[in-house]
Amino acid sequence: MAADERKLDVDGSHVIVCPNAEAASRLAADRIAAIIEAAERDRSKAVLGLATGATPETVYAELAARHRAGSLSFQKVVTYNLDEYYPIQPLDPLSYRHYMHQRLFSLVDIPANQTHVIDGTVPAAFAAEHAAQFDRWIEADGGLDLQLLGIGRNGHIGFNEPSDLSVEEAINLPTRPVELHPVTTTDAVREFGSAEKVITQALTVGIKTILAARVILMLATGPRKAEIVARSLKGPITPTVPASLLRTVAEKVVWILDEPAAAELG
Ligand code: GLP
C-alpha cells in the first residue's frame, strides 16, 4: 500500500482513501491488472464488468498506458459493460459502446468479439429478452472476475435506481430495461447538452449480477459524491440507496475513494 493511502473499515466495508482522484484511478488500475493476471492464470481468461461515466475515464487511460508500455495485454480479457442508454445507436457519441471504444477498446489489443455492451438498438419488444440473454452470456463465461462500479448521486449502481422494493427483491434484480431517476437525468444534462436531449430509458445489468461478481471495485471521487458515499456505507442497507446493497456482500467489495469523496465518513 502506498504511504499516502488510508485503509478504513467502515462498519465491515473495506475502504481505501487515496490523496486524490489520480491516485485512486491508479490504484483501481493496479487492482484490475492484478485480477486480469490472476484470472488468466487460474482459468485462462479474465471476465470484467466495466462501468462508464466520468469517474473511470482515468482508469481506462491508465490501463491503456500500461498496454502501450507492453506490461498489460487484453487478448484473453472478456468484457461486459454495466449499462447502455435506450434506444441509442452504437455509433452515437453519447452511447456507452462509443465511450468504451474511444477510451479503452480501440486503445488495447482486445478482440472485438470479446467486448459486450448491451445493444441499444434492439426492438422494444425484445429488449427484456436481450437483457436476460446478457445475464446468460455472463454465466456461460463463468461469471465476472471483477465488477468495476461508479456511483450516481442518488446511490445508483449501473442504472439500478432507488426503489421501494424489499432488500430481498432488490438483490435479485436481473439485467433489464429501466426508467431513469430524475437525479440521473439531471446529471446526464452534462453529457447530452440539454434536458430535452437526455435519453430517459436504459438497459442495466441487474443488482443480482453485480453482487455475483467475485470482486467488486467501487470507485468514487470528488466532493459531489461525499454525501452518497457516506449514506451508502453508514446509513441503512436499503434499495432506496442501491449502493448500500453492496454491504450484503461486503467481504468482496473494495471502495476506492479520494479524500474529497471520503469527507463525510468521519
Ligand atoms: C452514470 C452511469 C453509472 C455511473 C454513474 C456516475 O449514470 N450509468 O454507471 O457510475 O452515472 O457517473 P460519474 O462517474 O460521471 O459521476
Side-chain angles (χ1 to χ4, degrees):
M1 196 169 86
D4 44 5
E5 284 166 20
R6 294 194 287 133
K7 239 181 183 169
L8 310 176
D9 177 319
V10 182
D11 293 343
S13 296
H14 310 298
V15 179
I16 303 176
V17 185
C18 299
N20 52 49
E22 294 69 40
S25 296
R26 263 198 315 276
L27 177 62
D30 286 345
R31 295 282 174 122
I32 295 168
I35 287 165
I36 291 174
E37 197 181 311
E40 287 182 358
R41 199 177 48 232
D42 296 347
R43 60 182 195 122
S44 63
K45 67 176 174 186
V47 183
L48 309 183
L50 299 180
T52 51
T55 313
E57 284 183 10
T58 39
V59 178
Y60 297 136
E62 182 69 30
L63 292 173
R66 291 175 194 205
H67 171 71
R68 271 197 308 280
S71 63
L72 184 61
S73 169
F74 287 77
Q75 258 166 22
K76 294 185 192 159
V77 172
V78 178
T79 65
Y80 288 92
N81 260 81
L82 258 182
D83 44 21
E84 180 58 286
Y85 288 108
Y86 183 81
I88 200 162
Q89 296 287 329
L91 294 180
D92 188 319
L94 294 165
S95 78
Y96 287 159
R97 165 57 82 176
H98 186 267
Y99 170 112
M100 290 308 303
H101 179 79
Q102 293 290 104
R103 291 171 179 79
L104 185 68
F105 300 156
S106 67
L107 306 177
V108 299
D109 57 346
I110 191 164
N113 64 352
Q114 288 169 207
T115 69
H116 306 88
V117 181
I118 302 177
D119 183 356
T121 71
V122 71
F126 301 107
E129 173 50 24
H130 172 54
Q133 190 180 41
F134 207 74
D135 278 341
R136 292 196 295 271
W137 289 343
I138 292 172
E139 215 176 304
D141 257 326
L144 300 171
D145 292 300
L146 161 79
Q147 176 66 65
L148 177 64
L149 291 178
I151 186 169
R153 278 192 310 122
N154 60 2
H156 75 218
I157 46 177
F159 274 136
N160 292 281
E161 299 283 26
S163 74
D164 50 19
L165 297 174
S166 69
V167 168
E168 190 57 25
E169 287 166 330
I171 64 175
N172 281 299
L173 283 170
T175 298
R176 66 200 187 287
V178 289
E179 285 289 330
L180 300 183
H181 186 273
V183 170
T184 305
T185 53
T186 303
D187 283 352
V189 171
R190 192 183 52 203
E191 296 158 54
F192 284 84
S194 74
E196 304 72 57
K197 290 190 186 142
V198 172
I199 296 177
T200 60
Q201 290 175 299
L203 291 159
T204 186
V205 164
I207 295 178
K208 181 177 185 185
T209 317
I210 292 171
L211 297 183
R214 287 184 271 282
V215 175
I216 300 172
L217 287 187
M218 163 60 89
L219 180 64
T221 55
R224 289 170 70 249
K225 299 292 170 69
E227 185 198 341
I228 194 63
V229 163
R231 279 174 63 205
S232 302
L233 286 168
K234 294 169 62 173
I237 296 178
T238 165
T240 59
V241 182
S244 70
L245 299 169
L246 295 172
R247 284 154 58 200
T248 63
V249 294
E251 69 290 346
K252 60 180 178 178
V253 182
V254 180
W255 290 70
I256 300 179
L257 310 176
D258 65 356
E259 290 286 353
E264 292 184 29
L265 289 180

